[in-house]
Coordinates of all heavy atoms in Angstrom, one line a residue:
Chain M
G56 N 13.8 -17.9 -0.1 CA 14.1 -17.5 -1.4 C 12.7 -16.8 -2.1 O 12.8 -16.4 -3.2
A57 N 11.7 -16.6 -1.2 CA 10.5 -16.0 -1.8 C 10.7 -14.6 -1.9 O 11.8 -13.9 -1.4 CB 9.3 -16.4 -0.9
R58 N 9.7 -13.9 -2.5 CA 9.8 -12.4 -2.7 C 8.5 -11.7 -2.1 O 7.9 -11.0 -2.7 CB 10.0 -12.1 -4.1 CG 11.5 -12.3 -4.4 CD 11.8 -12.0 -5.9 NE 13.1 -12.3 -6.3 CZ 13.6 -12.3 -7.3 NH1 13.0 -11.9 -8.3 NH2 14.9 -12.7 -7.6
Q59 N 8.3 -12.0 -0.8 CA 7.2 -11.4 -0.1 C 7.4 -9.9 0.1 O 8.7 -9.5 0.1 CB 7.1 -11.9 1.3 CG 6.4 -13.2 1.4 CD 4.9 -13.3 0.8 OE1 4.2 -12.5 1.2 NE2 4.7 -14.0 -0.2
K60 N 6.5 -9.2 0.0 CA 6.6 -7.7 0.2 C 7.2 -7.4 1.6 O 6.7 -7.8 2.5 CB 5.3 -6.9 0.0 CG 5.4 -5.4 0.2 CD 4.2 -4.7 -0.3 CE 4.5 -3.2 0.2 NZ 3.5 -2.3 -0.4
I61 N 8.3 -6.6 1.5 CA 8.8 -6.0 2.8 C 8.8 -4.5 2.8 O 9.1 -4.0 1.6 CB 10.2 -6.6 3.2 CG1 11.2 -6.3 2.1 CG2 10.2 -8.1 3.4 CD1 12.6 -6.8 2.6
A62 N 8.5 -3.9 3.8 CA 8.5 -2.4 3.7 C 8.7 -1.9 5.1 O 8.4 -2.6 6.0 CB 7.3 -1.8 3.1
N63 N 9.2 -0.7 5.3 CA 9.5 -0.2 6.5 C 8.4 0.6 7.2 O 8.3 1.7 7.5 CB 10.7 0.7 6.5 CG 11.3 1.1 7.8 OD1 11.0 0.5 8.8 ND2 12.2 2.1 7.8
Y64 N 7.2 -0.1 7.5 CA 6.2 0.3 8.3 C 5.4 -0.8 8.8 O 5.5 -1.9 8.3 CB 5.2 1.4 7.5 CG 4.5 0.8 6.3 CD1 3.3 0.0 6.3 CD2 5.1 0.9 5.0 CE1 2.7 -0.5 5.3 CE2 4.5 0.3 3.8 CZ 3.3 -0.3 4.0 OH 2.7 -0.8 3.0
P65 N 4.7 -0.7 10.0 CA 4.0 -1.8 10.5 C 2.7 -2.1 9.7 O 2.0 -1.2 9.2 CB 3.6 -1.4 12.0 CG 3.7 0.1 11.8 CD 4.6 0.6 10.9
G66 N 2.4 -3.4 9.6 CA 1.2 -3.9 9.0 C 1.4 -4.1 7.4 O 0.5 -4.0 6.6
V67 N 2.6 -4.4 7.1 CA 2.8 -4.8 5.7 C 2.2 -6.1 5.2 O 1.4 -6.2 4.2 CB 4.2 -4.9 5.3 CG1 4.6 -5.1 3.9 CG2 4.9 -3.5 5.7
T68 N 2.5 -7.2 6.0 CA 1.9 -8.5 5.7 C 0.6 -8.6 6.3 O 0.5 -8.4 7.6 CB 2.8 -9.6 6.3 OG1 4.2 -9.4 5.9 CG2 2.5 -11.0 6.0
V69 N -0.5 -9.0 5.6 CA -1.8 -9.0 6.2 C -2.4 -10.4 6.1 O -3.5 -10.6 6.4 CB -2.8 -8.1 5.7 CG1 -2.4 -6.6 6.1 CG2 -2.8 -8.1 4.1
E70 N -1.6 -11.3 5.5 CA -2.1 -12.7 5.3 C -1.0 -13.7 5.7 O 0.2 -13.4 5.8 CB -2.2 -13.0 3.8 CG -3.5 -12.4 3.1 CD -3.5 -12.8 1.7 OE1 -2.5 -12.5 1.0 OE2 -4.4 -13.4 1.3
R71 N -1.5 -14.9 6.0 CA -0.5 -16.0 6.1 C 0.0 -16.5 4.9 O -0.7 -16.6 3.8 CB -1.4 -17.1 6.7 CG -0.8 -18.4 6.9 CD -1.7 -19.6 7.1 NE -1.2 -20.8 7.1 CZ -0.8 -21.5 6.1 NH1 -1.0 -21.1 4.9 NH2 -0.2 -22.7 6.3
K72 N 1.4 -16.7 4.8 CA 2.0 -17.1 3.6 C 3.0 -18.2 3.9 O 3.7 -18.2 4.9 CB 2.9 -15.9 3.0 CG 2.0 -15.2 2.0 CD 2.0 -15.6 0.6 CE 0.7 -15.3 -0.2 NZ 0.3 -13.9 -0.2
A73 N 2.8 -19.4 3.2 CA 3.8 -20.5 3.5 C 4.8 -20.5 2.4 O 4.6 -20.2 1.1 CB 3.0 -21.7 3.5
G74 N 6.0 -21.2 2.7 CA 7.1 -21.4 1.7 C 8.0 -22.4 2.2 O 7.8 -23.0 3.4
H75 N 8.8 -22.9 1.4 CA 9.7 -24.0 1.7 C 11.2 -23.7 1.8 O 11.6 -22.8 1.2 CB 9.6 -25.2 0.5 CG 8.2 -25.7 0.4 ND1 7.8 -26.6 1.4 CD2 7.2 -25.5 -0.4 CE1 6.5 -27.0 1.0 NE2 6.2 -26.4 0.0
A76 N 11.8 -24.4 2.7 CA 13.1 -24.2 3.1 C 13.7 -25.6 3.5 O 12.9 -26.6 3.6 CB 13.4 -23.2 4.1
S77 N 14.9 -25.7 3.7 CA 15.4 -27.0 4.2 C 16.5 -26.8 5.2 O 17.2 -25.8 5.2 CB 16.0 -27.8 3.0 OG 16.8 -27.0 2.2
F78 N 16.5 -27.8 6.1 CA 17.6 -27.8 7.1 C 19.1 -28.0 6.4 O 19.0 -28.5 5.3 CB 17.4 -28.9 8.2 CG 16.2 -28.5 9.1 CD1 15.1 -29.3 9.0 CD2 16.2 -27.5 9.9 CE1 14.0 -29.1 9.8 CE2 15.2 -27.3 10.7 CZ 14.0 -28.0 10.6
A79 N 20.1 -27.8 7.1 CA 21.4 -28.2 6.6 C 21.7 -29.4 6.0 O 22.3 -29.6 4.9 CB 22.5 -27.9 7.7
D80 N 21.1 -30.5 6.6 CA 21.2 -31.9 6.1 C 20.2 -32.2 4.9 O 20.0 -33.3 4.4 CB 21.1 -32.9 7.1 CG 19.7 -32.7 7.9 OD1 18.9 -32.1 7.4 OD2 19.5 -33.6 9.0
G81 N 19.4 -31.1 4.5 CA 18.5 -31.3 3.3 C 17.2 -31.6 3.6 O 16.2 -31.7 2.8
R82 N 16.8 -32.0 4.9 CA 15.4 -32.3 5.3 C 14.5 -31.0 5.0 O 14.9 -29.9 5.4 CB 15.2 -32.6 6.7 CG 15.5 -34.2 6.9 CD 15.5 -34.5 8.4 NE 16.5 -33.6 9.1 CZ 16.2 -32.9 10.1 NH1 15.1 -32.9 10.6 NH2 17.2 -32.2 10.7
P83 N 13.3 -31.2 4.4 CA 12.5 -30.0 4.1 C 11.8 -29.4 5.3 O 11.6 -30.3 6.3 CB 11.6 -30.5 3.0 CG 11.5 -32.0 3.3 CD 12.8 -32.4 3.9
L84 N 11.4 -28.2 5.3 CA 10.6 -27.7 6.3 C 9.7 -26.7 5.6 O 10.0 -26.2 4.5 CB 11.4 -27.1 7.5 CG 12.1 -25.8 7.1 CD1 11.7 -24.6 8.0 CD2 13.7 -26.0 7.3
S85 N 8.6 -26.4 6.3 CA 7.6 -25.5 5.7 C 7.6 -24.3 6.7 O 7.4 -24.4 7.8 CB 6.3 -26.1 5.6 OG 5.3 -25.2 5.7
L86 N 7.8 -23.1 6.0 CA 7.9 -21.9 6.8 C 6.6 -21.0 6.7 O 6.1 -20.9 5.5 CB 9.1 -21.1 6.4 CG 9.9 -20.3 7.4 CD1 10.3 -21.2 8.7 CD2 11.0 -19.6 6.7
I87 N 6.2 -20.5 7.7 CA 4.9 -19.6 7.5 C 5.1 -18.2 8.0 O 5.6 -17.9 9.2 CB 3.8 -20.2 8.5 CG1 3.6 -21.7 8.0 CG2 2.5 -19.4 8.3 CD1 2.6 -22.4 9.1
D88 N 4.9 -17.3 7.1 CA 5.1 -15.9 7.4 C 3.7 -15.3 7.8 O 2.7 -15.7 7.3 CB 5.5 -15.1 6.1 CG 5.9 -13.6 6.5 OD1 6.1 -13.3 7.7 OD2 5.8 -12.8 5.5
L89 N 3.8 -14.6 8.9 CA 2.4 -14.1 9.5 C 2.4 -12.6 9.7 O 3.5 -12.0 9.8 CB 2.2 -14.8 10.9 CG 2.0 -16.3 10.9 CD1 2.0 -16.8 12.4 CD2 0.7 -16.5 10.3
P90 N 1.2 -12.0 9.8 CA 1.2 -10.6 10.1 C 1.7 -10.3 11.5 O 1.6 -11.1 12.4 CB -0.3 -10.3 10.0 CG -0.9 -11.4 9.2 CD 0.0 -12.5 9.5
G91 N 2.3 -9.1 11.6 CA 2.8 -8.8 12.9 C 1.7 -8.5 13.8 O 0.7 -8.0 13.4
T92 N 2.0 -8.7 15.1 CA 0.9 -8.3 16.1 C 1.7 -8.1 17.5 O 2.8 -8.5 17.7 CB -0.2 -9.3 16.2 OG1 -1.0 -9.0 17.3 CG2 0.4 -10.8 16.5
Y93 N 1.1 -7.4 18.3 CA 1.6 -7.0 19.6 C 1.3 -8.1 20.7 O 2.0 -8.1 21.8 CB 1.2 -5.6 20.1 CG 1.7 -4.6 19.2 CD1 0.9 -4.2 18.1 CD2 2.9 -4.0 19.4 CE1 1.5 -3.1 17.3 CE2 3.4 -3.0 18.6 CZ 2.7 -2.6 17.6 OH 3.2 -1.7 16.8
S94 N 0.3 -8.8 20.5 CA -0.1 -9.9 21.5 C -1.0 -10.9 20.9 O -1.4 -10.7 19.6 CB -0.7 -9.2 22.7 OG -2.1 -8.7 22.2
L95 N -1.5 -11.8 21.5 CA -2.3 -12.8 21.0 C -3.8 -12.3 21.0 O -4.7 -13.1 20.7 CB -2.2 -14.1 21.7 CG -0.8 -14.9 21.2 CD1 -0.7 -16.2 22.0 CD2 -0.9 -15.2 19.7
T96 N -4.0 -11.0 21.5 CA -5.3 -10.6 21.5 C -5.4 -9.6 20.3 O -4.8 -8.5 20.4 CB -5.6 -9.7 22.8 OG1 -5.3 -10.6 23.9 CG2 -7.1 -9.6 22.9
P97 N -6.0 -10.0 19.3 CA -5.9 -9.1 18.1 C -6.8 -7.9 18.0 O -7.9 -7.9 18.8 CB -6.6 -10.0 16.9 CG -7.4 -11.0 17.7 CD -6.9 -11.1 19.1
A98 N -6.4 -6.8 17.5 CA -7.2 -5.6 17.3 C -7.6 -5.4 15.9 O -8.6 -4.7 15.7 CB -6.2 -4.4 17.7
S99 N -7.2 -6.3 14.9 CA -7.6 -6.0 13.5 C -7.6 -7.4 12.9 O -7.0 -8.4 13.4 CB -6.7 -5.0 12.8 OG -5.3 -5.4 13.0
L100 N -8.0 -7.4 11.7 CA -8.3 -8.8 11.0 C -7.0 -9.5 10.8 O -6.8 -10.6 10.9 CB -8.9 -8.6 9.7 CG -10.5 -8.1 9.7 CD1 -11.0 -7.8 8.4 CD2 -11.2 -9.4 10.3
D101 N -6.0 -8.7 10.3 CA -4.6 -9.3 10.1 C -4.2 -10.0 11.4 O -3.5 -11.1 11.3 CB -3.7 -8.3 9.5 CG -3.4 -7.1 10.3 OD1 -4.3 -6.7 11.2 OD2 -2.4 -6.5 10.1
E102 N -4.3 -9.3 12.4 CA -3.7 -9.8 13.7 C -4.4 -11.0 14.2 O -3.9 -11.9 14.7 CB -3.8 -8.8 14.8 CG -2.9 -7.5 14.6 CD -3.0 -6.5 15.6 OE1 -3.6 -6.7 16.7 OE2 -2.2 -5.5 15.5
A103 N -5.7 -11.2 13.8 CA -6.5 -12.4 14.1 C -6.0 -13.5 13.5 O -5.9 -14.7 14.0 CB -8.0 -12.1 13.8
V104 N -5.5 -13.3 12.3 CA -4.8 -14.5 11.4 C -3.7 -15.0 12.3 O -3.6 -16.2 12.4 CB -4.5 -14.0 10.0 CG1 -3.5 -15.1 9.4 CG2 -5.6 -13.5 9.2
T105 N -2.9 -14.1 12.8 CA -1.7 -14.7 13.5 C -2.2 -15.4 14.8 O -1.6 -16.5 15.0 CB -0.8 -13.5 14.0 OG1 -0.5 -12.7 12.7 CG2 0.4 -13.8 14.7
R106 N -3.1 -14.9 15.5 CA -3.4 -15.7 16.7 C -4.0 -17.0 16.2 O -3.8 -18.0 16.9 CB -4.6 -14.9 17.4 CG -5.2 -15.6 18.6 CD -6.6 -15.2 19.0 NE -7.5 -15.1 17.8 CZ -8.7 -14.7 17.8 NH1 -9.1 -13.9 18.8 NH2 -9.5 -14.7 16.7
D107 N -4.9 -17.1 15.2 CA -5.5 -18.3 14.9 C -4.5 -19.4 14.3 O -4.5 -20.5 14.7 CB -6.6 -18.0 13.7 CG -7.8 -17.4 14.2 OD1 -8.0 -17.1 15.5 OD2 -8.5 -16.8 13.4
V108 N -3.5 -19.0 13.7 CA -2.5 -19.9 13.3 C -1.7 -20.3 14.4 O -1.5 -21.6 14.5 CB -1.6 -19.3 12.2 CG1 -0.4 -20.1 11.9 CG2 -2.3 -19.1 10.9
V109 N -1.3 -19.5 15.3 CA -0.5 -19.9 16.3 C -1.1 -20.8 17.3 O -0.6 -21.7 17.8 CB 0.1 -18.6 17.2 CG1 0.8 -19.1 18.4 CG2 1.2 -17.9 16.2
L110 N -2.4 -20.4 17.6 CA -3.1 -21.3 18.6 C -3.7 -22.6 17.8 O -4.5 -23.3 18.5 CB -4.3 -20.5 19.2 CG -3.8 -19.3 20.0 CD1 -4.9 -18.6 20.8 CD2 -2.7 -19.8 21.0
G111 N -3.6 -22.7 16.5 CA -4.1 -23.8 15.8 C -5.6 -23.8 15.6 O -6.2 -24.8 15.4
K112 N -6.1 -22.5 15.6 CA -7.6 -22.4 15.3 C -7.9 -22.2 13.9 O -9.1 -22.2 13.5 CB -8.1 -21.2 16.1 CG -8.2 -21.4 17.6 CD -8.7 -20.2 18.3 CE -8.7 -20.2 19.7 NZ -8.9 -18.7 20.3
Q113 N -6.9 -22.0 13.0 CA -7.2 -21.8 11.7 C -7.7 -23.0 11.0 O -7.4 -24.2 11.2 CB -5.9 -21.5 11.0 CG -6.0 -21.0 9.5 CD -6.2 -19.5 9.5 OE1 -6.7 -19.0 10.4 NE2 -5.7 -19.0 8.3
D114 N -8.9 -22.8 10.3 CA -9.6 -24.0 9.6 C -8.6 -24.7 8.8 O -7.9 -24.2 8.0 CB -10.7 -23.5 8.8 CG -11.9 -22.9 9.6 OD1 -11.8 -23.3 10.9 OD2 -12.6 -22.2 9.1
G115 N -8.7 -26.0 8.9 CA -7.9 -27.0 8.0 C -6.4 -26.8 8.2 O -5.6 -27.1 7.3
E116 N -5.9 -26.3 9.1 CA -4.5 -25.9 9.4 C -4.1 -26.7 10.6 O -4.7 -26.4 11.8 CB -4.1 -24.5 9.5 CG -4.2 -23.7 8.3 CD -3.0 -24.0 7.4 OE1 -1.9 -24.4 7.9 OE2 -3.3 -24.0 6.2
K117 N -3.1 -27.4 10.7 CA -2.5 -27.9 11.9 C -1.7 -26.8 12.5 O -1.3 -26.0 11.9 CB -1.8 -29.2 11.7 CG -0.4 -28.9 11.1 CD 0.4 -30.3 11.0 CE 1.6 -30.2 10.2 NZ 2.9 -30.2 10.8
R118 N -1.7 -27.0 13.8 CA -0.8 -26.0 14.6 C 0.7 -26.2 14.2 O 1.3 -27.2 14.0 CB -0.9 -26.3 16.1 CG -0.6 -25.2 16.9 CD -1.0 -25.5 18.4 NE -0.7 -24.3 19.2 CZ -1.0 -24.3 20.6 NH1 -1.5 -25.3 21.1 NH2 -0.5 -23.2 21.2
P119 N 1.4 -24.9 14.1 CA 2.8 -25.0 13.7 C 3.6 -25.9 14.8 O 3.2 -26.0 15.9 CB 3.2 -23.6 13.9 CG 2.1 -22.8 14.1 CD 0.9 -23.6 14.3
D120 N 4.6 -26.6 14.2 CA 5.4 -27.5 15.1 C 6.3 -26.7 15.9 O 6.9 -27.2 16.9 CB 6.1 -28.4 14.2 CG 5.2 -29.4 13.5 OD1 4.3 -29.9 14.1 OD2 5.2 -29.5 12.2
A121 N 6.8 -25.5 15.4 CA 7.6 -24.6 16.2 C 7.5 -23.2 15.8 O 6.9 -23.0 14.7 CB 9.1 -25.1 15.9
L122 N 8.0 -22.3 16.7 CA 7.8 -20.9 16.4 C 9.2 -20.3 16.2 O 10.1 -20.7 17.0 CB 7.0 -20.2 17.6 CG 5.8 -20.6 17.8 CD1 5.2 -19.7 19.1 CD2 4.8 -20.5 16.6
I123 N 9.4 -19.4 15.4 CA 10.6 -18.5 15.4 C 10.0 -17.1 15.8 O 9.2 -16.5 15.0 CB 11.3 -18.3 14.1 CG1 11.8 -19.8 13.6 CG2 12.3 -17.4 14.1 CD1 12.4 -19.8 12.2
V124 N 10.4 -16.7 17.0 CA 9.9 -15.5 17.4 C 10.9 -14.4 17.0 O 12.1 -14.5 17.4 CB 9.8 -15.5 19.0 CG1 9.4 -14.0 19.5 CG2 8.8 -16.5 19.4
V125 N 10.4 -13.5 16.2 CA 11.3 -12.4 15.7 C 11.3 -11.2 16.6 O 10.2 -10.7 16.7 CB 10.9 -12.2 14.2 CG1 12.0 -11.2 13.7 CG2 10.8 -13.5 13.5
L126 N 12.5 -10.7 17.0 CA 12.6 -9.6 17.8 C 13.4 -8.5 17.1 O 14.3 -8.9 16.5 CB 13.2 -9.9 19.2 CG 12.6 -11.0 20.1 CD1 13.5 -11.0 21.3 CD2 11.3 -10.6 20.5
D127 N 12.9 -7.4 17.3 CA 13.8 -6.1 16.9 C 14.8 -5.9 18.0 O 14.4 -5.5 19.1 CB 12.9 -4.9 16.5 CG 13.7 -3.7 16.3 OD1 15.0 -3.8 16.3 OD2 13.1 -2.7 16.0
A128 N 16.1 -6.1 17.7 CA 17.1 -6.1 18.7 C 17.1 -4.7 19.4 O 17.4 -4.5 20.6 CB 18.4 -6.4 18.2
A129 N 16.7 -3.6 18.7 CA 16.9 -2.4 19.2 C 15.6 -1.9 19.9 O 15.6 -0.8 20.3 CB 17.1 -1.3 18.1
N130 N 14.7 -2.8 20.2 CA 13.5 -2.5 20.7 C 13.0 -3.6 21.7 O 11.8 -4.0 21.7 CB 12.5 -2.3 19.6 CG 11.3 -1.4 20.2 OD1 11.2 -1.1 21.2 ND2 10.5 -0.9 19.2
L131 N 14.0 -4.2 22.3 CA 13.7 -5.4 23.1 C 12.7 -5.2 24.2 O 11.8 -6.1 24.3 CB 15.1 -5.7 23.9 CG 16.1 -6.7 23.1 CD1 17.1 -7.2 24.0 CD2 15.2 -7.9 22.6
D132 N 12.8 -4.0 25.0 CA 11.7 -3.8 26.0 C 10.4 -4.2 25.6 O 9.6 -4.8 26.2 CB 11.7 -2.3 26.2 CG 12.7 -1.7 27.0 OD1 13.9 -2.4 27.0 OD2 12.6 -0.6 27.6
N133 N 10.1 -3.6 24.4 CA 8.7 -3.8 23.9 C 8.5 -5.2 23.3 O 7.5 -5.8 23.6 CB 8.4 -2.7 22.8 CG 7.0 -2.6 22.6 OD1 6.5 -3.2 21.6 ND2 6.2 -1.8 23.4
H134 N 9.4 -5.6 22.5 CA 9.0 -6.9 21.7 C 9.2 -8.1 22.7 O 8.6 -9.1 22.4 CB 10.1 -7.0 20.6 CG 9.8 -6.1 19.5 ND1 10.2 -6.4 18.1 CD2 9.0 -4.9 19.4 CE1 9.8 -5.4 17.4 NE2 9.1 -4.5 18.2
L135 N 9.8 -8.0 23.8 CA 10.0 -9.1 24.7 C 8.7 -9.5 25.4 O 8.4 -10.7 25.6 CB 11.0 -8.9 25.8 CG 12.5 -9.3 25.3 CD1 13.4 -8.9 26.5 CD2 12.6 -10.7 25.1
S136 N 7.8 -8.5 25.5 CA 6.5 -8.8 26.1 C 5.7 -9.9 25.3 O 5.2 -10.8 25.8 CB 5.6 -7.5 26.2 OG 6.4 -6.5 26.7
F137 N 5.7 -9.5 24.0 CA 5.0 -10.6 23.1 C 5.8 -11.9 23.1 O 5.2 -13.0 23.1 CB 4.8 -10.0 21.8 CG 4.0 -10.8 20.7 CD1 2.9 -11.6 21.3 CD2 4.2 -10.8 19.4 CE1 2.2 -12.5 20.4 CE2 3.5 -11.7 18.6 CZ 2.5 -12.4 19.1
A138 N 7.0 -11.8 23.1 CA 7.8 -13.1 23.2 C 7.5 -13.8 24.4 O 7.3 -15.1 24.3 CB 9.4 -12.7 23.1
L139 N 7.4 -13.1 25.5 CA 7.1 -14.0 26.8 C 5.7 -14.6 26.6 O 5.5 -15.7 27.1 CB 7.1 -13.0 28.0 CG 8.5 -12.6 28.4 CD1 8.4 -11.5 29.4 CD2 9.4 -13.7 28.9
E140 N 4.7 -13.9 26.0 CA 3.4 -14.5 25.9 C 3.5 -15.6 25.0 O 3.0 -16.7 25.3 CB 2.5 -13.4 25.2 CG 1.1 -14.0 25.2 CD 0.1 -12.8 24.6 OE1 0.7 -11.8 24.3 OE2 -1.1 -13.1 24.6
L141 N 4.3 -15.7 23.9 CA 4.5 -16.8 23.1 C 5.2 -17.9 23.7 O 4.9 -19.1 23.5 CB 5.2 -16.3 21.9 CG 4.4 -15.4 20.8 CD1 5.3 -14.8 19.9 CD2 3.2 -16.1 20.3
L142 N 6.2 -17.6 24.6 CA 6.9 -18.7 25.2 C 6.0 -19.5 26.1 O 6.2 -20.7 26.3 CB 8.1 -18.1 25.9 CG 9.3 -17.7 25.1 CD1 10.4 -16.9 25.9 CD2 9.9 -18.8 24.4
A143 N 5.0 -18.8 26.7 CA 4.1 -19.5 27.7 C 3.3 -20.6 27.0 O 2.8 -21.4 27.6 CB 3.2 -18.5 28.3
L144 N 3.3 -20.6 25.5 CA 2.5 -21.6 24.8 C 3.2 -22.9 24.9 O 2.7 -23.9 24.7 CB 2.4 -21.1 23.4 CG 1.6 -19.9 23.2 CD1 1.6 -19.5 21.6 CD2 0.2 -20.1 23.5
N145 N 4.5 -22.8 25.2 CA 5.4 -24.0 25.4 C 5.5 -24.8 24.1 O 5.6 -26.1 24.1 CB 4.7 -25.0 26.5 CG 5.8 -25.9 27.1 OD1 7.0 -25.5 27.0 ND2 5.3 -27.0 27.7

Side-chain angles (χ1 to χ4, degrees):
Chain M
R58 285 177 182 174
Q59 283 300 305
K60 176 169 177 170
I61 58 174
N63 195 11
Y64 59 86
V67 177
T68 307
V69 293
E70 280 184 306
R71 166 194 181 282
K72 273 276 150 51
H75 292 286
S77 49
F78 291 114
D80 57 10
R82 272 173 304 126
L84 66 121
S85 153
L86 212 59
I87 303 169
D88 185 22
L89 292 171
T92 174
Y93 293 91
S94 70
L95 288 174
T96 316
S99 50
L100 288 171
D101 58 334
E102 298 182 358
V104 171
T105 301
R106 178 203 55 192
D107 291 346
V108 169
V109 170
L110 299 184
K112 287 184 188 163
Q113 186 92 330
D114 291 340
E116 281 292 332
K117 69 176 174 109
R118 196 164 183 189
D120 299 304
L122 300 180
I123 297 177
V124 175
V125 187
L126 299 183
D127 173 356
N130 206 348
L131 274 189
D132 285 19
N133 193 265
H134 287 201
L135 274 175
S136 313
F137 186 30
L139 287 172
E140 188 181 1
L141 289 167
L142 284 171
L144 298 175
N145 204 22

